[in-house]
Amino acid sequence: IRIDEACPVPTTAWPCQTLLAATWDTDLLYEVGKAAAKELKENNLQIWLAPGMNIHRCPICGRNFEYYSEDPFLTGKMGAAQVLGVQSQGVAACVKHFACNDKETNRKHSDSRVSLRALREIHLRGFEIAVREAQPWTLMCGYNVINGQRCSESWDLLTGILRKEWGYEGIVLSDWWDRSEHYKQILAGDDVKMPTGFPDRVKMAIELGALNRSDLEKCAARVLTLICRLD
């Protein structure tokens, strides 16, 4: 749990996700998630921006320490166990970065060109397992583009696959200061644009007929549902 240095609050430095995954021990991952959640609550925090569930595609990726493995099945099982541990304490886990965000350099502008088969069997499989087995309360989009379309603007990814196919019930949020257009994110099923969003542009989209009030109400309902879940 990363606390601002101005707040002299010590928190536990857990082993990185890669090392935890090397145990192949889902019970251990559950307990780590549970213990981290207790620290969240002690510090009046309600959402843990973890676990990272992208795939190790390159050994020198700058965020590999946040991700479990090069194997999507192991990633999914470890992630699901940790999410269940976190949410057993009444706070939310946030699986990220959905999806194909498996490089650190130029993340906000990179285009992940991937076949449908590779997308399904490698990049999405871990997320699918975590969603079906643990129902994380929140999920964060990647900065990146997939085959020409930004993750947080993709209806196929956020609504078609995530919600309609996998049965996801939680909220979706963007990564911080992403490059997506706010109203397009709403239409895709991205409920919260972090850290502040652009309400003036959303209002303009409504006035121009590109967005309806009902589109906003869907996002608002999911956010309110999350608030009611939190302890």
Side-chain angles (χ1 to χ4, degrees):
I1 312 301
R2 188 171 63 183
I3 306 293
D4 192 292
E5 291 182 1
C7 304
V9 179
T11 55
T12 304
W14 300 102
C16 72
Q17 301 288 57
T18 310
L19 186 57
L20 290 173
T23 67
W24 294 66
D25 190 338
T26 53
D27 292 336
L28 175 64
L29 270 289
Y30 180 94
E31 292 300 326
V32 170
K34 183 177 177 180
K38 290 180 178 179
E39 287 195 346
L40 281 166
K41 296 177 75 172
E42 287 172 359
N43 289 285
N44 198 31
L45 302 171
Q46 295 174 309
I47 300 176
W48 190 26
L49 299 180
M53 298 193 57
N54 294 110
I55 297 297
H56 290 186
R57 298 290 287 172
C58 172
I60 59 174
C61 173
R63 295 289 280 275
N64 273 355
F65 68 95
E66 288 193 46
Y67 309 143
Y68 294 107
S69 172
E70 74 280 4
D71 179 78
F73 181 77
L74 180 61
T75 292
K77 288 294 186 179
M78 296 295 106
Q82 199 159 9
V83 168
L84 288 170
V86 172
Q87 294 180 174
S88 72
Q89 302 303 299
V91 294
C94 181
V95 299
K96 61 181 186 180
H97 307 85
F98 192 61
C100 301
N101 191 179
D102 44 29
K103 65 191 280 293
E104 183 64 11
T105 303
N106 195 34
R107 283 201 301 154
K108 292 185 179 181
H109 299 287
S110 64
D111 188 350
S112 302
R113 297 300 178 101
V114 57
S115 69
L116 181 59
R117 179 175 180 179
L119 187 65
R120 290 283 190 171
E121 293 183 358
I122 300 173
H123 298 279
L124 298 184
R125 183 65 177 134
F127 288 99
E128 180 182 4
I129 293 169
V131 167
R132 291 188 185 277
E133 296 187 3
Q135 270 293 345
W137 295 351
T138 70
L139 177 145
M140 185 191 297
C141 292
Y143 283 125
N144 57 299
V145 175
I146 300 178
N147 295 334
Q149 185 175 33
R150 291 197 174 276
C151 296
S152 55
E153 294 180 358
S154 174
W155 186 94
D156 288 338
L157 186 65
L158 303 185
T159 298
I161 294 175
L162 179 63
R163 288 201 169 97
K164 291 184 177 294
E165 186 176 324
W166 298 349
Y168 180 65
E169 299 174 353
I171 73 163
V172 174
L173 58 139
S174 74
D175 209 335
W176 269 237
W177 300 116
D178 69 349
R179 295 292 187 264
S180 298
E181 179 62 53
H182 196 168
Y183 83 90
K184 291 182 180 180
Q185 292 177 248
I186 293 170
L187 290 172
D190 189 334
D191 303 300
V192 181
K193 187 173 180 67
M194 295 300 296
T196 57
F198 296 95
D200 291 342
R201 295 179 68 84
V202 171
K203 183 180 179 182
M204 183 183 297
I206 293 174
E207 293 169 350
L208 294 173
L211 194 65
N212 296 318
R213 179 184 175 89
S214 62
D215 299 315
L216 298 177
E217 289 173 346
K218 291 177 184 177
C219 297
R222 288 190 285 258
V223 172
L224 290 172
T225 299
L226 171 65
I227 292 171
C228 291
R229 279 177 162 175
L230 297 168
D231 182 6

